[in-house]
Amino acid sequence: MSIKKFFAVFLLPLSLLATSPLLSLAQTSGQVHGVGLPDFTELVEKQGPAVVNISTVQVIRGRAPGMFPFPFDEDDPMFDFFRRFAPPGHGGKGGKGGSAPREFESHSLGSGFIVSADGYILTNAHVIADASEVVVKLTDKREFKAKIIGADKRTDVGLLKIEAGNLPVVRLGNLEALKVGEWVVAIGSPFGFDNSVTAGIVSAKGRSLPQENYVPFIQTDVAINPGNSGGPLFNMRGEVVGINSQIYSRSGGFMGISFSIPIDVAMEVQAQLKAHGKVSRGRIGVTIEEVTRDIADSLKLPKPAGALVSSLERDGPAEKAGLAVGDVILKFNGKEVTSSGDLPRIVGASRPGTKVTLQVWRKSATRDISITVGEMPNDDDEAPAADEDKESKSEAPQINRFGLSVTELSANARKELKIGHGLRIVDVRGSAARANLQPGDVILALISQGATVELKTVAQFNQLLAQVGKNANITLLIRRGDIQTFVTLKPTGNGK
């Protein structure tokens, strides 16, 4: 084959490919990808000086752990080192060294950021909890002893003050403008490494976590580790959108899921801490749960939404206003309650003593109820659990098609449980067992024809069940100890 023919055969297709739409698309895609990569350098240069390192000292009284005290918190990177390599009886949790109780110091690290030029600093409440001394270090190496203005455990927001002026401050962002998928940056001191920068994207907004009812967390995949707590989360405009608070982890280290407190929540708390040293929250005295599809169908609610009332505090604001177990709260003072997690945040943000209107779903229709908001107590004490019912159980009646065998409560049992009605479960099988119902649980009510009906006798219960379609589900209000919750059961034939 001649050289001229070689070029004609092999190079001509390449020249065509160079002008083909496929190659053009590939080139264009590569250019867009290159341009789209974020550059964090300017953000870090401008905002980094407003981020501070926080170190605390806690004085702990306990049994001295042998030759030396064990001064490291479990979040401290040195904790594992000493726990693994210290001689037996020389420190660690439950160490048996030492013979007499003594005081020793525990040190921990965290982060924070300056929100006013005269020295107010936001951080996490858990970073400064029980601290006897707090030291703030700036990026220019200056150090200040800080005063704790206040800390709110329910939102994990803490406020410090240092005596300094003309300090660099962060800019605050608009949380509503924050979008899932956009880039965010965290600056903090993980494991004591000052002003470390990590980046990622917003994974979700308004995330509810167990035991965290007052914060609609921002979920990200930004690397957060011990020492990052209390540091700022920035958007790409260099504005703070959150306070880095906690991570989800099975190992104790970062696993790709971290949570930040929205800056608007933090600033509301900061304002109250600055003015009063504490946070005042509203409450209405209800226990609520999520509205599932099955419960919505039972209540003839058009869609699963709102917060289902499962119990009322005696003489609380909700009971006084006329709320009832089985009501679904759809709106609170005009604000929609999309899910049960929304209600504590909305109520908590209300000023105690104000009158508001609740829109509730009851008996297949909406109605408005006026209520005066109460005040949340400052302590976290829980009510003591009710004593176990000492009622002697009679011979169990036949298991019904939902896998339940029930009996009526004695007068003594009702008095002990402080209730006026209910049926005790004496045996469970089938659907009832799969729903985790247990002998000793009390059935307080059944949702029938879209309404919640209190149960007083076995005959009444059986009559209501007879009205339920052969393949239809039922929803029961169950009490166990001091907890009340709604449970949906499917029919299981003979209950086996």
Side-chain angles (χ1 to χ4, degrees):
M1 180 183 293
S2 67
I3 294 177
K4 185 180 292 186
K5 190 172 182 180
F6 171 85
F7 277 101
V9 173
F10 292 101
L11 296 187
L12 180 59
L14 292 177
S15 66
L16 292 175
L17 179 61
T19 59
S20 71
L22 182 63
L23 184 59
S24 298
L25 178 61
Q27 291 173 337
T28 303
S29 175
Q31 291 170 357
V32 171
H33 179 70
V35 172
L37 291 175
D39 182 355
F40 307 115
T41 55
E42 185 177 350
L43 184 158
V44 175
E45 288 174 4
K46 289 184 176 180
Q47 304 303 323
V51 182
V52 302
N53 172 268
I54 297 173
S55 59
T56 66
V57 177
Q58 296 172 317
V59 177
I60 299 175
R61 181 170 177 79
R63 187 169 296 279
M67 295 173 58
F68 56 87
F70 199 71
F72 301 104
D73 185 81
E74 288 186 5
D75 288 336
D76 194 289
M78 295 299 290
F79 178 88
D80 278 340
F81 176 85
F82 276 88
R83 180 175 60 81
R84 293 176 184 176
F85 296 103
H90 287 69
K93 254 188 171 182
K96 301 184 184 302
S99 58
R102 55 160 291 178
E103 289 186 350
F104 61 93
E105 292 183 349
S106 173
H107 300 260
S108 62
L109 297 173
S111 305
F113 54 97
I114 305 169
V115 292
S116 67
D118 59 348
Y120 283 97
I121 295 169
L122 274 180
T123 185
N124 282 149
H126 77 260
V127 169
I128 58 176
D130 303 320
S132 58
E133 181 180 293
V134 179
V135 176
V136 170
K137 184 169 72 174
L138 309 185
T139 55
D140 60 9
K141 306 304 180 183
R142 287 186 293 168
E143 294 188 2
F144 299 87
K145 282 191 176 180
K147 177 183 178 182
I148 299 176
I149 302 300
D152 180 50
K153 292 182 179 179
R154 287 189 172 97
T155 56
D156 197 21
V157 173
L159 182 65
L160 300 174
K161 176 71 168 64
I162 60 175
E163 295 304 321
N166 299 317
L167 296 172
V169 299
V170 297
R171 292 187 297 125
L172 304 181
N174 177 9
L175 197 72
E176 291 185 0
L178 185 69
K179 296 182 179 180
V180 174
E182 74 173 84
W183 284 95
V184 282
V185 175
I187 304 179
S189 304
F191 302 110
F193 296 109
D194 294 357
N195 284 87
S196 295
V197 182
T198 54
I201 63 167
V202 177
S203 304
K205 290 174 60 179
R207 188 70 82 193
S208 296
L209 301 180
Q211 310 304 320
E212 304 284 354
N213 296 326
Y214 297 96
V215 179
F217 285 98
I218 304 166
Q219 180 186 331
T220 74
D221 66 352
V222 178
I224 301 296
N225 283 292
N228 272 118
S229 293
L233 184 73
F234 292 98
N235 61 21
M236 288 301 292
R237 293 179 290 280
E239 301 165 335
V240 176
V241 292
I243 303 178
N244 300 316
S245 177
Q246 55 185 292
I247 62 173
Y248 172 83
S249 176
R250 294 179 178 174
S251 64
F254 176 68
M255 293 183 66
I257 300 178
S258 53
F259 299 97
S260 302
I261 303 160
I263 193 60
D264 55 346
V265 173
M267 292 307 292
E268 288 175 5
V269 171
Q270 179 262 171
Q272 291 201 51
L273 291 177
K274 190 174 180 180
H276 310 293
K278 65 176 185 177
V279 177
S280 177
R281 285 190 176 84
R283 62 186 293 274
I284 59 174
V286 295
T287 302
I288 57 172
E289 59 185 85
E290 197 68 22
V291 179
T292 65
R293 168 59 66 184
D294 288 336
I295 290 175
D297 291 342
S298 299
L299 292 171
K300 301 186 184 302
L301 189 63
K303 62 179 182 179
L308 176 63
V309 178
S310 58
S311 67
L312 297 166
E313 176 191 329
R314 183 166 297 181
D315 295 326
E319 186 179 76
K320 291 178 180 178
L323 241 67
V325 171
D327 285 347
V328 177
I329 302 173
L330 300 175
K331 289 184 180 180
F332 183 92
N333 214 29
K335 296 180 181 178
E336 287 195 15
V337 180
T338 304
S339 66
S340 61
D342 295 335
L343 188 64
R345 295 193 287 266
I346 298 173
V347 175
S350 303
R351 183 176 300 176
T354 57
K355 285 190 175 182
V356 300
T357 300
L358 301 184
Q359 184 189 82
V360 303
W361 181 265
R362 182 188 296 175
K363 295 183 178 179
S364 305
T366 58
R367 64 174 65 189
D368 290 339
I369 295 177
S370 179
I371 186 172
T372 301
V373 178
E375 184 171 6
M376 178 75 68
N378 289 323
D379 56 43
D380 296 326
D381 295 338
E382 295 183 358
D387 293 334
E388 285 188 20
D389 191 357
K390 306 299 190 298
E391 170 192 3
S392 58
K393 298 176 177 57
S394 58
E395 184 179 352
Q398 186 177 359
I399 296 283
N400 63 33
R401 59 192 171 104
F402 292 93
L404 285 170
S405 172
V406 299
T407 187
E408 294 169 11
L409 291 172
S410 67
N412 287 338
R414 292 196 300 271
K415 184 177 180 180
E416 286 184 25
L417 294 171
K418 297 179 181 179
I419 56 177
H421 63 278
L423 304 177
R424 186 179 301 282
I425 298 176
V426 294
D427 195 6
V428 292
R429 301 180 192 175
S431 178
R434 288 191 292 273
N436 198 32
L437 294 184
Q438 300 173 7
D441 290 345
V442 176
I443 307 175
L444 296 176
L446 178 148
I447 296 177
S448 176
Q449 304 298 320
T452 304
V453 181
E454 294 180 349
L455 296 178
K456 299 179 180 179
T457 66
V458 174
Q460 175 205 17
F461 184 42
N462 291 336
Q463 184 178 7
L464 291 171
L465 292 183
Q467 299 171 7
V468 177
K470 183 177 180 181
N471 298 316
N473 301 338
I474 61 169
T475 299
L476 304 174
L477 177 61
I478 302 296
R479 172 166 172 167
R480 181 180 298 169
D482 281 344
I483 304 300
Q484 291 183 194
T485 186
F486 283 93
V487 176
T488 298
L489 303 180
K490 302 177 184 296
T492 55
N494 60 5
K496 303 293 185 183

